[in-house]
């Protein structure tokens, strides 16, 4: 499959961002293929799924556009009715409870495999060709894109790199990802606690990095992301009693004891953005174009806004024929999304730096600012609206009507 054929859109990648990209363009009657590495069997021990994402209102609307929302919002997911932000104290600095009904719930916590399974069924139903092969390279010339696989090659009018932070598409485009090391690793796990989470998400900022609890459907289960020093992360990923006691020491006043934990894993944290979002007929979305600190849980939501924005800029097949026309559309996409991504990076990096600062004056200023926000319902609703991704300079597909 793929040998000798020319597609309108070739998407490279196997994750949620790649499948959403394929689905949206297929819905708009483009001929689409997905190039993904051969699937590998993964065995999971236990009955607690390992990976969850915080899904904003904008991402929900994208899933609704693809008609997969009912499937991705499966039985294992959770609802976020409120958010608490904690510092070093044993009471929250800020509590977000929406005062406007349309802003509730604040987010959905959904399991990665449920999302992928639903998207695969959807894009196959839309006639997307899925080509399982290792990508060798892509040529993103102005006249046509050429995709080189292990055993064949084919053409595409546009090649979308959705293959992550180590993107082969980006490397083939000779585009650099300019990142800075945060000096932290994120430890991910699912924990069972003594007390119910009551559908609240909680983020506590420690001097070594933030820890977040995301509520699952079981009132005593939470998915956590703990950003900490690499040596600490190495110990935490071993799991067991040490891990449970460490988490209890940080959030025991809120959740009681951690009585069980599973699916421990970690990944390095970086922050940065690609020098360009497109070159020739190649374009980048998601982590191929930018990486950010996980503290705000906005990585996937930002990636899906990239995809919706790209689909709005390239809204018909006629754009693909003339490179001068396509280039104008890709420039618009780059200006649009790079500006939004840089805003998000400044927020995530800034919050992490402020709350982890050991400077007494910075710490005092941060606490005072947080307390001021907490006493202003208008400001909190504004922040909630922005985080939802359906207000401001957002694609028509997700905009609040």
């Amino acid at each position: 499959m793929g040998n000798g054929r020319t597609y309108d859109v070739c998407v490279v990648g196997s994750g949620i961002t790649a499948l959403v990209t394929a689905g949206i363009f297929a819905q708009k009657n483009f001929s689409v293929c997905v190039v993904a590495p051969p699937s590998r069997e993964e065995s999971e021990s236990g009955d607690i799924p390992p990976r969850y994402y915080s899904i904003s209102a904008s991402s929900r609307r994208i899933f609704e556009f693809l008609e997969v929302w009912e499937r991705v919002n499966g039985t294992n997911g959770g609802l976020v009715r409120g958010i608490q932000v904690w510092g070093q104290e044993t009471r929250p600095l800020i509590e977000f409870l929406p005062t406007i009904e349309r802003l509730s719930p604040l987010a959905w916590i959904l399991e990665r495999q449920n999302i992928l399974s639903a998207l695969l069924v959807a894009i196959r139903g839309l006639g997307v060709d899925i080509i399982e092969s290792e990508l060798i390279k892509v040529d993103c010339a102005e006249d046509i894109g050429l995709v080189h696989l292990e055993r064949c090659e084919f053409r595409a009018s546009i090649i979308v790199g959705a293959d992550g932070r180590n993107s082969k598409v980006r490397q083939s485009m000779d585009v650099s990802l300019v990142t800075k090391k945060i000096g932290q690793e994120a430890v991910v796990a699912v924990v069972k606690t003594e007390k119910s989470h009551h559908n609240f998400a909680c983020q506590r900022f420690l001097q070594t990095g933030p820890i977040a609890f995301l509520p699952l459907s079981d009132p005593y289960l939470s998915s956590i992301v703990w950003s900490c020093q690499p040596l600490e992360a190495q110990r935490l990923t071993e799991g067991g009693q040490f891990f449970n006691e460490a988490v209890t020491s940080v959030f025991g006043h809120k959740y009681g004891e951690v009585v069980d934990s599973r699916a421990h894993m970690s990944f390095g944290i970086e922050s940065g953005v690609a020098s360009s979002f497109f070159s020739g007929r190649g374009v980048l979305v998601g982590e191929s174009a930018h990486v950010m600190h996980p503290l705000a849980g906005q990585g996937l939501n930002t990636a899906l806004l990239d995809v919706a924005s790209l689909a709005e800029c390239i809204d018909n097949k006629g754009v693909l024929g003339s490179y001068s026309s396509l280039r104008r559309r890709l420039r618009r996409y780059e200006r649009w999304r790079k500006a939004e991504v840089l805003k998000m990076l400044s927020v995530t990096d800034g919050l992490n730096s402020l709350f982890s600062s050991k400077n007494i004056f910075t710490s005092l200023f941060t606490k005072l600012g947080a307390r001021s926000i907490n006493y202003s319902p208008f400001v909190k609703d504004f922040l909630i609206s922005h985080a939802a991704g359906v207000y401001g300079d957002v694609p028509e597909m997700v905009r609040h009507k």
Side-chain angles (χ1 to χ4, degrees):
M1 192 183 298
N3 194 14
R5 180 174 175 179
T6 298
Y7 291 92
D8 295 325
V9 180
C10 170
V11 183
V12 179
S14 58
I16 295 170
T17 305
L19 301 189
V20 167
T21 306
I24 289 178
F25 277 104
Q27 281 272 32
K28 293 175 175 286
N29 296 316
F30 289 74
S31 62
V32 183
C33 74
V34 172
V35 173
S39 57
R40 296 175 176 82
E41 293 295 326
E42 296 181 0
S43 60
E44 298 289 347
S45 59
D47 56 0
I48 302 179
R51 290 296 303 276
Y52 287 86
Y53 290 105
S54 175
I55 301 299
S56 67
S58 62
S59 294
R60 171 178 175 162
R61 293 184 182 196
I62 291 170
F63 290 137
E64 287 175 338
F65 175 82
L66 294 173
E67 300 179 357
V68 298
W69 175 248
E70 295 302 323
R71 289 198 61 193
V72 302
N73 189 25
T75 57
N76 293 326
L79 286 177
V80 178
R81 301 288 186 189
I83 299 173
Q84 292 179 333
V85 178
W86 302 66
Q88 303 294 322
E89 300 81 4
T90 55
R91 66 189 183 102
L93 291 171
I94 311 174
E95 184 170 87
F96 291 96
L97 279 170
T99 60
I100 305 172
E101 186 176 352
R102 59 180 165 80
L103 297 177
S104 182
L106 299 180
W108 295 261
I109 310 302
L110 303 184
E111 199 266 313
R112 179 178 183 269
Q113 196 55 50
N114 278 351
I115 301 174
L116 287 173
S117 298
L119 288 171
L120 279 170
V121 171
I123 67 173
R124 286 190 174 116
L126 291 168
V128 173
D129 288 341
I130 300 175
I131 305 171
E132 290 196 2
S133 175
E134 293 291 346
L135 177 72
I136 304 302
K137 67 171 185 175
V138 297
D139 294 324
C140 301
E142 294 184 2
D143 56 342
I144 195 68
L146 190 59
V147 181
H148 301 268
L149 305 181
E150 287 182 313
R151 297 183 180 178
C152 70
E153 61 183 42
F154 60 89
R155 298 183 174 197
S157 297
I158 188 168
I159 300 169
V160 182
D163 49 339
R165 65 180 64 190
N166 297 316
S167 170
K168 285 188 178 180
V169 173
R170 188 184 65 244
Q171 293 166 17
S172 295
M173 291 163 55
D174 198 26
V175 170
S176 60
L177 181 64
V178 183
T179 62
K180 64 177 180 179
K181 301 288 185 181
I182 304 296
Q184 297 172 344
E185 290 191 12
V187 178
V188 180
V190 175
V191 299
K192 185 174 184 178
T193 53
E194 182 184 10
K195 299 178 182 177
S196 170
H197 51 59
H198 299 294
N199 293 112
F200 264 79
C202 290
Q203 181 111 36
R204 186 173 188 185
F205 287 92
L206 308 172
Q207 286 194 336
T208 55
I211 179 172
F213 273 65
L214 305 175
L216 303 184
S217 57
D218 186 311
Y220 299 97
L221 286 182
S222 298
S223 174
I224 74 165
V225 183
W226 190 348
S227 303
C228 54
Q229 304 299 318
L231 287 177
E232 186 179 10
Q234 187 176 355
R235 289 197 66 191
L236 290 171
T237 51
E238 295 174 4
Q241 192 61 29
F242 172 79
F243 177 88
N244 295 349
E245 290 176 357
V247 178
T248 299
S249 70
V250 173
F251 250 136
H253 59 280
K254 170 71 176 175
Y255 294 100
E257 288 188 17
V258 173
V259 297
D260 191 20
S261 61
R262 303 183 192 176
H264 313 85
M265 61 174 290
S266 66
F267 56 89
I269 299 175
E270 295 178 310
S271 174
V273 63
S275 56
S276 175
F277 280 23
F278 79 97
S279 177
R281 289 180 177 267
V283 61
L284 305 173
V285 296
E287 284 201 333
S288 298
H290 47 77
V291 291
M292 63 185 62
H293 200 291
L295 69 87
Q298 291 299 311
L300 179 60
N301 297 314
T302 303
L304 298 189
L305 284 173
D306 289 348
V307 176
S309 301
L310 179 64
E312 186 168 309
C313 292
I314 304 175
D315 56 354
N316 66 86
K317 293 183 182 183
V319 174
L320 302 177
S322 163
Y323 181 67
S324 61
S325 175
L326 176 61
R327 186 180 182 184
R328 285 194 297 272
R329 302 297 184 100
L330 293 177
R331 276 184 170 173
R332 179 192 168 206
Y333 162 73
E334 180 181 57
R335 288 193 300 267
W336 185 4
R337 290 309 300 159
K338 185 174 274 192
E340 294 301 310
V341 167
L342 289 173
K343 289 178 190 175
M344 182 60 70
L345 289 178
S346 67
V347 170
T348 55
D349 292 352
L351 285 174
N352 187 51
S353 298
L354 282 173
F355 279 97
S356 62
S357 175
K358 297 180 181 179
N359 184 290
I360 187 170
F361 296 107
T362 302
S363 179
L364 179 61
F365 171 80
T366 302
K367 290 176 186 176
L368 290 173
R371 296 289 185 204
S372 299
I373 291 173
N374 198 43
Y375 290 115
S376 175
F378 173 79
V379 173
K380 288 197 288 186
D381 281 343
F382 173 80
L383 293 173
I384 290 170
S385 299
H386 185 76
V390 296
Y391 299 93
D393 193 9
V394 296
E396 181 67 27
M397 184 185 298
V398 304
R399 188 173 300 136
H400 178 75
K401 306 297 191 293

